[in-house]
Amino acid sequence: MRVLHRSVAATTAVALALQAGACSWKTPSLETTKPAPLAESSRILAADGSVITDLHGEENRETVPFDRMPKTLRDAVVAIEDERFWDHKGVDPRSVLRAVYANATEGKVVEGGSTITQQYVKNELVGPDRTVRRKLREAALAYEVERRYTKQRILELYLNTIYFGNGAYGVQAASIEYFGVGVDRITLGQSALLAGVIRSPNRSDPYQQPDIARERRQVVLDKLVSLGWATPGAAAAAAAEPLVTAAAPVTDERYTAPYFVERVKRFLLDDPRFGPTPGARRDLLLQGGLRISTTLDLKAQAQAEEAVAKVLSSPDKDPAAAVVSIEPGTGFVRALVGGRDFFGPAAEAKFDLATQGKRPAGSSFKPFVLAAALEQGIPITKFYDAPGSLTIPLTREPWEVSNYEGQGGGRMTLGDATIRSVNTVYAQLILDVGPSKAVDLAARMGITSPLLPYPSAVLGTNDVTPLEMASAYGTFANRGIAVPPTFVTKVVDGHGRVIYEHQHTQKRVLEQANVDTEISVLRQVVERGTAVGAKIGRPVAGKTGTGQEWRDAWFVGFTPDLVTSVWVGFPERQRSMKPPDTRILVTGGSWPAQIWQLYMSAALAERPIRDFAPPPPSAAEGTSDAPVLQQVTTVIGMPAVDAEAALARDGFTATREPTPSEDYPPGVVVGSLPDAGLLAPAASSVVLLVSTGKATATLPDVLSRTTDEARRAIESAGLVARIIVQAEPASSTSAGRAGKAWKQAPALGSLVDRGDTVTVYVNPEPAAPPPVAPPPTGYVPGFTTTTPR
């Protein structure tokens, strides 16, 4: 008790000191500290000037005059917040003492001592800093406010600015938020609820914490009765009213392109050009009445979202996708999809997969290494060994590299290795180029994430974002000129002054001739390589990427007008995208390419078709005795006989390789090795890929089957089984597949003809247990035997 008396005495002294200090303080002129104009929303505009959304942050309010505020509301707020409001002069020592005593008795803060005038001054003029100087300034200003304004005006200012939770500032916004009506129509119970949430809007949120909100409403009603400002009967009726009568709010007001909007907000909040401190920038963005012009194409945005929804049509089960679409010449971001649903309830909903989500790039990183090779003079026609797997000795430990499904064999040019995405060739290439030079070039092209200069970088082990990939591939589409991505073109303040205007910047990072050469190869990736699903009836170049264990899948492709990156994966963590977790085995050439194809077909439908520049003629590399090179004749679409004749006229010999095709009838050439337009030694042999028509056999799924089961399934489909006993790489599930198939080539879903060979890799059978010695004579289970003496 003695401690309590000392506490009260000490606080009494502080209160008297505050009053004396406030009276003797030289009060600052309210001409410079008068209530600031209420916040004006900023507006984000699309490229065509239409409104995307208004930004008011937490400042959702509407001013109403004092006489429109019902007396029940005014009484309820004064009763619970400052019952002597109509009597004091801005600071109330009696309230301070009463609060100190109540708090000391309870051992916690149960009552505040600030008057309504002080609360208004704190919120609007001096800020919430808990210092003695700030409290003295608050008290002085409270006295000055009381001297200059009537009590009615002070209460009006207070009730129009105080926060009531759920983004509602002021009684009008709060009334509409919780009851769906204007403040002039609310009841005694509703007035009590609003008054009750002022002290702690989040803790007594009527949507999230209805029991606490109901308890606070009752406290207000009891206080009104005790002061004689409400009858017990009226209070009882008010306590029986529903807590709220409006629907619970959506977490955020819905608007289009929310992930794009968040990127725009971050641009202004992070840039010192919009204010010296984070707080100043936030005030400008949320209260400054800005007009922010952006690069967003609303039609393209809708097309991107629709493409994702069509392909990933089971959002409860399917992985998510990120899409970024950029005009390569300007760097303008025209569409951005950053996840499933920004406004959804999932914990990761607001995480932007397009600009924040970093995942391994897989083989979509290979074009950067190829660009570095061309810059160093390594020709696209250089031949490499292309085995199915390769062991490369490095300083610390050997580097084991394998191709997708173990495919490979023989030798091939760098161009063909790109089209077929041959890992073993590219592993050799990055050692020729140098890992540091390869990742440095990728950074100059537009990859801003840190890149480790390891040899494995060529296989896309570094993490990157879809925005970075779109920007970097835009350097290809822009014929070697890198242009940074742009979201905001102009910012105008509330007075109509331009405070920011985008200035175009660019830098040449690749030689134009080398880019044109590389594009001629990346076009073939779409024409007949891993990205045939991305064809849109006009010239397209790009590259697929598939992560380890199918955890990430990419396709980044471009035309001369537009570059778009698509990533597909599970956002919460890296999970394998293969059945039964997904409906199909997801590779870069499946869902990402399909999303890209749907979006780009729609986005470019009204634009004229533009072709890429042709690749330049290339001189023989190295010495004077180097072989003479000439372009491979274009024979795609010709009958095989005519194609052979055309090649023969140019001095080439031809061999045929049957290839199933959905696009060409039997007997027609669907491609060549090397590719048409590439350079090859004069009089060398060209392999003609000749269509056998649509596949005539269905490739069965034999994974996890025994050897006999796999063989029977393959042979029953009219195919030939080739069984290879080989242990799969150790994993958490490999032990359960002893003696069973763990890989098949071609992969499930590939086009095959009857009579084709299917290679199945089977784990070794488990070792047989050691033989058990026969039991001794006379042994009976469960009994101990003894040897007769």
Side-chain angles (χ1 to χ4, degrees), residues 1 43 116 134 161 208 212 214 218 230 320 336 363 458 465 598 614 666 692 739 745 756 778 786:
M1 191 66 180
R43 178 161 288 179
I116 283 176
R134 201 277 300 163
T161 57
Q208 303 297 325
I212 296 176
R214 190 173 287 106
Q218 188 62 54
L336 186 147
S363 291
V458 72
T465 69
L598 285 172
T692 58
D756 283 357
T786 58

Side-chain angles (χ1 to χ4, degrees), residues 97 250 473:
L97 291 175
V250 179
Y473 271 63

Side-chain angles (χ1 to χ4, degrees), residues 202-222:
N202 293 327
R203 185 173 181 272
S204 52
D205 184 333
Y207 295 123
Q208 303 297 325
Q209 304 289 344
D211 292 340
I212 296 176
R214 190 173 287 106
E215 181 182 332
R216 282 290 297 163
R217 181 178 67 177
Q218 188 62 54
V219 169
V220 175
L221 292 170
D222 291 345

Side-chain angles (χ1 to χ4, degrees), residues 600-616:
M600 291 288 279
S601 294
L604 297 173
E606 298 178 4
R607 299 197 193 187
I609 294 177
R610 291 178 57 203
D611 201 352
F612 296 104

Side-chain angles (χ1 to χ4, degrees), residues 87-162:
D87 301 319
H88 63 64
K89 296 182 178 181
V91 177
D92 186 5
R94 287 172 55 182
S95 296
V96 173
L97 291 175
R98 184 178 64 251
V100 168
Y101 185 83
N103 296 340
T105 301
E106 295 292 331
K108 59 182 180 179
V109 177
V110 295
E111 189 173 333
S114 293
T115 65
I116 283 176
T117 312
Q118 285 177 284
Q119 291 181 51
Y120 171 73
V121 167
K122 178 185 70 175
N123 293 337
E124 298 299 312
L125 301 178
V126 300
D129 295 340
R130 294 172 177 259
T131 64
V132 173
R133 181 175 178 81
R134 201 277 300 163
K135 288 296 293 183
L136 289 172
R137 178 174 170 79
E138 176 188 295
L141 284 171
Y143 273 109
E144 182 70 5
V145 167
E146 291 266 351
R147 188 177 69 83
R148 297 288 298 272
Y149 296 102
T150 65
K151 288 285 187 178
Q152 288 82 356
R153 176 60 173 157
I154 293 170
L155 187 57
E156 176 188 293
L157 289 170
Y158 176 76
L159 289 176
N160 273 312
T161 57
I162 198 68

Side-chain angles (χ1 to χ4, degrees), residues 43-46 50-54 255-257 260-261 294 296 298:
R43 178 161 288 179
I44 296 182
L45 308 174
S50 56
V51 178
I52 301 174
T53 187
D54 288 335
Y255 45 83
T256 192
F260 185 98
V261 169
T294 74
L296 184 72
L298 291 174

Side-chain angles (χ1 to χ4, degrees), residues 264 520 652 695:
V264 170
S520 71
F652 293 105

